[in-house]
């Protein structure tokens, strides 16, 4: 998994504690090692985590190693990005996108 500063990797086992019980909204990238567009998003998500860390938590979940969570949220493609707030998904997007566009798409849920 490509690491990005400020982006935590979560698993099926800690998804509830890290995402559903988080006080801040959480941007989750459902990703896979083999996914090229997912790798492109790494620096974008790292930058967002650094700039928006006081308002937003950013995490990634490998769908191949953590299928329970991916299945539970009906993730069929990677990258899928979901924003969770108060333990519920409030926004879902599929595909890579530039930082500015991603921030525009999630601005109303922060």
């Amino acid at each position: 998994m490509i690491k990005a500063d400020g982006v935590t990797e979560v698993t099926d086992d800690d998804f509830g504690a890290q995402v559903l019980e988080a006080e801040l909204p959480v941007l989750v990238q459902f990703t896979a090692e083999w996914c090229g567009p997912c790798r492109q998003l790494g620096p974008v998500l790292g930058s967002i985590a650094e700039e928006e860390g006081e308002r937003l938590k950013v995490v990634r979940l490998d769908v191949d190693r953590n299928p329970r969570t991916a299945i539970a949220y009906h993730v069929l493609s990677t990258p899928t990005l979901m924003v969770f707030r108060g333990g519920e998904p409030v926004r879902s997007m599929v595909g890579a996108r530039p930082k500015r566009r991603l921030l525009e798409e999630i601005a109303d849920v922060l």
Side-chain angles (χ1 to χ4, degrees), residues 12-107:
D12 283 342
D13 294 333
D14 66 1
F15 189 84
Q18 293 291 324
V19 176
L20 303 180
E21 296 173 11
E23 292 187 20
L24 293 175
V26 183
L27 174 60
V28 180
Q29 177 193 21
F30 291 88
T31 186
E33 292 279 344
W34 47 264
C35 173
C38 298
R39 287 192 294 276
Q40 291 175 331
L41 271 174
V44 170
L45 296 177
S47 178
I48 290 173
E50 181 180 320
E51 292 175 16
E52 300 291 337
E54 293 180 11
R55 301 188 320 148
L56 178 71
K57 181 177 181 179
V58 182
V59 302
R60 71 179 70 216
L61 179 126
D62 185 301
V63 297
D64 291 330
R65 289 184 283 185
N66 301 283
R68 283 193 329 248
T69 303
I71 290 167
Y73 290 100
H74 310 287
V75 174
L76 302 175
S77 299
T78 57
T80 291
L81 300 163
M82 284 189 188
V83 178
F84 288 78
R85 188 171 58 198
E88 297 294 327
V90 294
R91 176 72 33 88
S92 181
M93 302 152 283
V94 176
R97 56 216 345 104
K99 177 181 166 185
R100 187 189 64 183
R101 180 170 162 215
L102 179 54
L103 286 171
E104 288 171 357
E105 290 183 57
I106 65 172

